[in-house]
Every structure is written in C-alpha cells, then in structure tokens.
Amino acid sequence: MQHPYVSFEGVTRAYPGHVVFRDLWFGVNRGEFVCLVGHSGCGKTTVLNILAGLDAPNAGGVIVDGQEISGPSLDRAVIFQGHALMPWMTAEQNVAFALSCRHPGWGKAKLRDAARAALEKVGLGQAADRKPAMLSGGMKQRVGIARALAIEPKMLLMDEPFSALDALTRGALQDEVARLVAEANQTAFMITHDVDEAILLADRILLMTNGPDARCAEVVMNTLPKPRNRATLHKLPGYHALRDHILEFLLTRSRTLAGTRPADWDPKSPPDVRPADAPLPAAAE
Amino acid sequence: MHRTVPFWQQALLSALLLGLFLGAWELAAGRGGGGTGVAVDPEYAALLGQAAAQGGQTPFPRPSEIAVRLWELLRDPFYVRGTNDQGIGVQVAYSLLRVAAGFGLAALVAIPLGFLIGMSPLLSGALNPFIQVLRPVSPLAWMPLALFTIKDSAISSIFVIFICSVWPMLLNTAFGVQSVRREWLNVARTLEAGTLRTAFRVILPAAAPTILTGMRISIGIAWLVIVAAEMLVGGTGIGYWVWNQWNNLSLSDIVIAILLIGIVGLLLDRALGAVQRLVAWQD
Ligand SMILES: Nc1ncnc2c1ncn2[C@@H]1O[C@H](COP(=O)(O)OP(=O)(O)OP(=O)(O)O)[C@@H](O)[C@H]1O
Ligand SMILES: [Mg+2]
C-alpha cells in the first residue's frame, strides 16, 4: 500500500475544560480529494488549521510527506472561508504578493505576468486591476483560489470556501475547482456543509461526530465514476444511496454517536463504507 | 435626517453670515471708538504701557481697518529688518519649521515604537503605565525642564512639540497594529512571508489609516501648542509675534494673526487628510 501524503496520527486538540477532538487518525493520499463533513462546532476548522500549521495539537502529530509539520508552509496553500484578500491591493497585487513569497527573486514584471496568468485561469483577466471592494463575492473567492493555486502548492486546503455564496455562484465555482484540481492532479482537503458538494468533489468523505470530544466515525468511499459534473451527478446509480447515507449521518448518527466510543473502537482505522456500491433494491425482479 | 444641500446654497449662506457678522462688527466698533475719550483706569493704563496712556486711543479695530492692515502685511510678508522686525510670513515660517521638526522627530519615534508595542503584548503591558501617566501632561509643563536641560529656547520649543505630538501617534499606531485582522496575518503565515515582508506589506498598509488619524490629531495639537510655546520663549514665530503685537496694543495685528493661525492649521489638517485618503482602503 502507498504511503499517504498526509497522515494525522493520534491528534488531540483541547482547550481548558473542553476537548475538541481526541486521538484522530486519518490519511490523505497524493492526488486524492478528501472532504471533512460534520456539524458546526465539531472542530473541522481546528483540524484544517492544524494541517495548515496555523494551530498546533496538544497531543499527537501530523506527518506530511514523511516529515512532522511544525508550522505553515507554502506547500500547503489555504483557501479561507472569508476570502481573506488584502483590501488595499488589487486582485493582481494580491496574487503577486503570494507569488513574491514563493519566488523572492522574481522581478516586478515577472510577478505581474504570472499573477495575470493565474487570474486568467479562473476567468478574472478583466478584473485584475480592481480592488476586492469592487468585486462580487464569487469573484473575490476566485481571486482567493487563484492566489492559492498560483504558488503551485503540493496540497490545497479549503475551509468551507463557498458557503458564503449564492447557489448559482457556488455551483459554478465547484465546477471550476473540480476542473482545476483534476488538471493539476492536486491533492486537496476540504471542509464543507454541503453534501452534494462533497459528493461532487471528494474521493473520500470523513464524517465527524458532534463535539465536544468529536471523532471521525466513518470514512465514506465515493465510488461514483469520475469525472463527475453537477448536471448529471444525481442520475448516477448509487448517488441517492450515497447522499442518503451522509444525510442520515448528519441528521441522526452524528448526534447519537457523539461522546460514545464502541468497545471495539479502533481510532486508527475508522470503518470504511461504500454506500454507492450497495446492491440495488430488488426492483429488477 | 441629512439631505444633501447644493454647494452654492451653503456657500451663499456662509457669505451672508460673514457679511452680517462683519457689518455688525463694523457698526459696533465704529460707534464705540469714535466718541469722546473713555475714562481709563490708571492701573490698567500702567499695565498696557504707553499706548493706553494716551487715553483710550486704541479702540477695538473695525474690519475695514483690519483689512487695510492685512493688505500692508501681505504686500511684503517676508521682509527682515533686524531680529525684532520681520514680516508675518517669516514668523509663520519659523513656527512651521519648529512644528515640522518636532512633529517629524515624534513620527520617527512614535511609529516604529508603536509598531513594536502593537506586535508585542509584553512591551505593550510594560510601557502602558508610563504612557498613561505622561500622556495627559500639558506639553507646556515640560517647558521649564526643557529650558533648563537644553538651554536653547528654539530647541526647547521643538522638544515641546515633540512631546505633545508623540502620544496620539504612538497610541494610534499601536492600536492600528493590534487590530490588524487575524485572517490577513494567517494568509501571511501560510505564505511564509517572513517578519519584514509581513510588517511592510500586510501590517503597515492595514494599520495606515489608523496611523494617519493619529498623525492628524498630532499635527493639530502641535499647531495649537507652538503658539503658546512661542509666547513663552519669545524670539521668533507667530506666537511670539502675537505676544509682541499685544505689547504694542495693535489689536488689528492680533486679529490677523488669529485668522492666519486658523488658516494654516486648516491647511496642515487638509494636507494630512489628503495623505489619509491615499492610504485608505475599503473592505
Ligand atoms: N480559541 C478557542 N478557545 C476555546 N475554544 C475554542 C477556541 N477556538 C475554537 N474553540 C472551540 O473548538 C470547537 C471547534 O471549533 P471549530 O471552529 O473548529 O468548529 P467548526 O467545526 O469549524 O465549526 P463551523 O462549522 O461552525 O465552522 C468549538 O466548540 C469552539 O468552541
Ligand atoms: Mg469552521
């Protein structure tokens, strides 16, 4: 078996009097897209911040590419929930700032050209000279995506990147991210509340129970064929079984499983499930 | 409710009010000064010196007289005839020079120090008591100490300007740096931007509008204080000039000085306001 690119090994994060999650183990393989799904407050952002190096675990460690991480790295680019663009810079300058961190030796002209090219890729060539205040929510998030991809990270981290957008814009951006990630065979880790988003993008979906003391209760393997797109996703066989399984987890089991650990619970390998592969109900008779 | 009013309406009303005010002043001053000599209290006369001894010969000036005097002063504002007789432009220039020196030095100290205080909770906690105690002290209270230690009146007034303008800049810079949004700092961290790059490309632009607000408050205070400081130490400057004209009992000159101080103060504020607009950002 291939060694995972990222592996969480017994990670615990606690605040005084409050354990967010305990003894968390999971891996992300190279080129794999993993989604983390769970209710608000269960610790998803905390997981992502630890992986980004912005936060540190109280116990356990995170191994990336064979090395334990000790802080943020250009190899793991973050697309933030709020767009987190610098409002005093134009779209192009925001991307160029990231590029200048990646390539300190580059001159102004080279940075500008590379920033332009990155913005073209997300369809924002026209808006390069506008400041964030003059961009729509969707355009701002596109700049955030361009900024993260411009530095050619080994891994992309996304914290509910589209949750603040309207449904149409969200759909367009999901397709965009799916395309860009597939083109670059990008390893990605994403937090989301949106079940369809997870099914569209993820190869594996981690289901987290409610906090406090949350755990990763189940790993859902998304066996629907790729490439997937939003228009035809719901027609794929197995889609409904997959969707129902995740929804059912979010609606009931995330709550009933919270705080409990079965006697035979092995935190190192939460059960894999393949709801989309389940035999079709006996309709064929 | 605030409706927008056309500019010309505001300007017209301003002009009307000014006209009324000057007209009333002209009439009132004309009546009071034109008549028989007013009885002068001998003690008051002694205090005012030779001018008052002539017996009420210095009535409050009328706007028309002030205008004539203004024209005289502005025709040749930069003449220098000996140390005690220099044009009003020269005096204002002296004051501006002192303000520029004191304010400039204060900015050089306050902005880097404020940056450090804003970045370091330790430094912030350690320096806070000193700042809290020193900040409310009237800058003029430092004057005797400054004169004693520095022994030079011109540098002493620069020091007083320095002391009064340092606090708003220091506190605003520290506050601006402290309130830089966490998400921008996180962006810089995930990009491994380094301390210097983060300071100059992220924190400084983010805090710049707040810093400029502090500078604007400082320059206003500095311009207030320079007049008082120059009255105390004498020599040159618009404050000294006001004091001198008071000794000569030329009230017209004092009214003109007040007007001039107001206009220069306005221009200073406007200049920094323009810089503030340059660095402002909108979220
Ligand atoms: N600085 C902190 N001090 C104390 N508790 C904290 C702190 N930061 C987060 N927490 C707690 O950690 C838990 C997880 O927070 P986190 O932001 O990771 O949740 P989340 O799953 O991302 O939620 P959401 O879906 O709403 O973004 C919450 O219960 C929160 O109260
Ligand atoms: Mg969150």
Side-chain angles (χ1 to χ4, degrees):
Chain A
M1 186 187 151
Q2 158 196 31
H3 207 67
Y5 177 64
V6 172
S7 85
F8 265 63
E9 308 202 340
V11 175
T12 299
R13 184 73 178 97
Y15 294 101
H18 173 92
V19 178
V20 182
F21 48 77
R22 186 156 51 92
D23 208 12
L24 191 63
W25 296 73
F26 68 86
V28 180
N29 296 319
R30 252 176 242 280
E32 192 182 28
F33 200 125
V34 172
C35 268
L36 180 60
V37 174
H39 275 287
S40 186
C42 71
K44 303 183 298 296
T45 298
T46 311
V47 170
L48 186 124
N49 282 347
I50 288 173
L51 180 49
L54 295 169
D55 195 359
N58 298 77
V62 181
I63 316 288
V64 174
D65 215 0
Q67 283 214 315
E68 179 162 2
I69 61 169
S70 57
S73 158
L74 278 161
D75 288 337
R76 279 166 277 130
V78 184
I79 298 177
F80 293 87
Q81 178 163 13
H83 50 84
L85 299 178
M86 322 268 173
W88 54 90
M89 297 182 190
T90 63
E92 180 192 294
Q93 287 165 340
N94 266 288
V95 179
F97 173 66
L99 280 164
S100 74
C101 295
R102 171 61 102 184
H103 308 283
W106 282 14
K108 276 212 163 67
K110 191 161 186 192
L111 287 172
R112 198 178 50 232
D113 292 345
R116 289 251 165 200
L119 287 169
E120 301 278 355
K121 258 193 202 168
V122 296
L124 276 185
Q126 322 304 321
D129 291 325
R130 287 203 234 155
K131 298 221 167 129
M134 296 168 67
L135 299 172
S136 70
M139 289 160 104
K140 280 187 248 196
Q141 204 51 275
R142 274 172 203 264
V143 179
I145 294 169
R147 175 172 67 183
L149 292 177
I151 58 173
E152 294 171 342
K154 295 198 176 135
M155 181 171 196
L156 201 55
L157 308 180
M158 297 172 266
D159 187 354
E160 300 186 36
F162 315 128
S163 61
L165 305 175
D166 63 275
L168 276 177
T169 315
R170 191 186 317 154
L173 280 181
Q174 285 164 354
D175 283 342
E176 193 102 14
V177 164
R179 178 177 63 82
L180 292 166
V181 166
E183 267 172 21
N185 195 26
Q186 185 82 54
T187 312
F189 181 78
M190 171 158 139
I191 293 171
T192 179
H193 270 123
D194 181 337
V195 176
D196 279 329
E197 182 170 290
I199 297 176
L200 178 71
L201 296 171
D203 301 309
R204 279 191 299 146
I205 300 162
L206 309 180
L207 300 180
M208 224 166 148
T209 65
N210 291 358
D213 197 6
R215 62 191 165 100
C216 174
E218 227 173 67
V219 179
V220 177
M221 314 300 279
N222 186 354
T223 48
L224 299 182
K226 288 216 274 190
R228 302 184 272 267
N229 75 56
R230 273 182 311 129
T232 55
L233 186 66
H234 62 280
K235 292 185 189 133
L236 293 175
Y239 163 81
H240 289 285
L242 185 59
R243 186 168 196 276
D244 290 348
H245 183 89
I246 300 172
L247 273 180
E248 190 265 337
F249 178 87
L250 285 177
L251 291 175
T252 52
R253 283 195 299 140
S254 63
R255 186 161 32 83
T256 54
L257 292 178
T260 65
R261 280 164 203 247
D264 62 344
W265 175 248
D266 177 9
K268 292 193 191 185
S269 56
D272 286 354
V273 293
R274 299 167 175 269
D277 286 353
L280 291 171
E285 279 185 359
Chain B
M1 290 309 298
H2 203 90
R3 290 182 305 115
T4 46
V5 180
F7 176 74
W8 67 267
Q9 285 186 8
Q10 303 172 23
L12 195 69
L13 187 58
S14 287
L16 199 71
L17 286 173
L18 182 68
L20 272 177
F21 173 68
L22 290 179
W25 180 356
E26 183 84 34
L27 285 177
R31 194 171 313 139
T36 51
V38 191
V40 178
D41 178 10
E43 237 175 293
Y44 181 63
L47 209 66
L48 292 188
Q50 82 279 29
Q54 293 162 7
Q57 287 303 305
T58 45
F60 202 80
R62 282 176 292 157
S64 51
E65 292 163 352
I66 295 174
V68 171
R69 180 71 183 132
L70 182 64
W71 174 242
E72 268 172 49
L73 287 173
L74 289 190
R75 237 178 3 191
D76 185 14
F78 295 108
Y79 73 87
V80 178
R81 286 182 219 115
T83 43
N84 262 333
D85 189 11
Q86 310 187 15
I88 192 164
V90 177
Q91 307 290 5
V92 170
Y94 271 116
S95 301
L96 278 175
L97 221 61
R98 281 179 197 136
V99 165
F103 178 82
L105 283 175
L108 282 183
V109 171
I111 294 174
L113 190 61
F115 227 85
L116 290 180
I117 292 176
M119 301 243 263
S120 149
L122 172 67
L123 214 56
S124 162
L127 293 182
N128 201 34
F130 300 108
I131 296 173
Q132 295 302 330
V133 171
L134 292 181
R135 190 173 60 106
V137 176
S138 160
L140 294 176
W142 291 89
M143 192 54 109
L145 277 187
L147 284 170
F148 178 80
T149 40
I150 301 174
K151 300 203 166 56
D152 179 295
S153 62
I155 299 181
S156 295
S157 49
I158 291 177
F159 171 78
V160 168
I161 296 302
F162 169 85
I163 272 292
C164 75
S165 41
V166 89
W167 307 118
M169 284 195 269
L170 187 68
L171 291 173
N172 270 57
T173 306
F175 176 73
V177 169
Q178 267 158 10
S179 357
V180 174
R181 241 177 267 160
R182 166 119 256 129
E183 53 178 21
W184 297 332
L185 296 176
N186 280 345
V187 169
R189 285 178 63 200
T190 57
L191 291 172
E192 298 187 69
T195 317
L196 275 185
R197 201 187 286 268
T198 306
F200 283 103
R201 297 289 309 274
V202 180
I203 300 176
L204 189 61
T210 320
I211 297 176
L212 256 295
T213 305
M215 295 178 82
R216 224 169 148 177
I217 298 171
S218 280
I219 200 104
I221 296 178
W223 189 242
L224 284 181
V225 167
I226 191 65
V227 175
E230 285 169 347
M231 283 181 161
L232 272 177
V233 298
T236 47
I238 190 70
Y240 167 72
W241 194 79
V242 168
W243 190 248
N244 218 13
Q245 301 315 313
W246 162 238
N247 284 331
N248 296 339
L249 220 64
S250 29
L251 294 181
S252 302
D253 287 344
I254 293 176
V255 174
I256 289 169
I258 289 174
L259 199 65
L260 204 60
I261 291 170
I263 290 172
V264 171
L266 174 73
L267 291 179
L268 287 176
D269 186 64
R270 281 295 157 91
L272 278 178
V275 180
Q276 191 169 29
R277 270 197 300 284
L278 276 184
V279 300
W281 44 262
Q282 182 198 352
D283 213 9

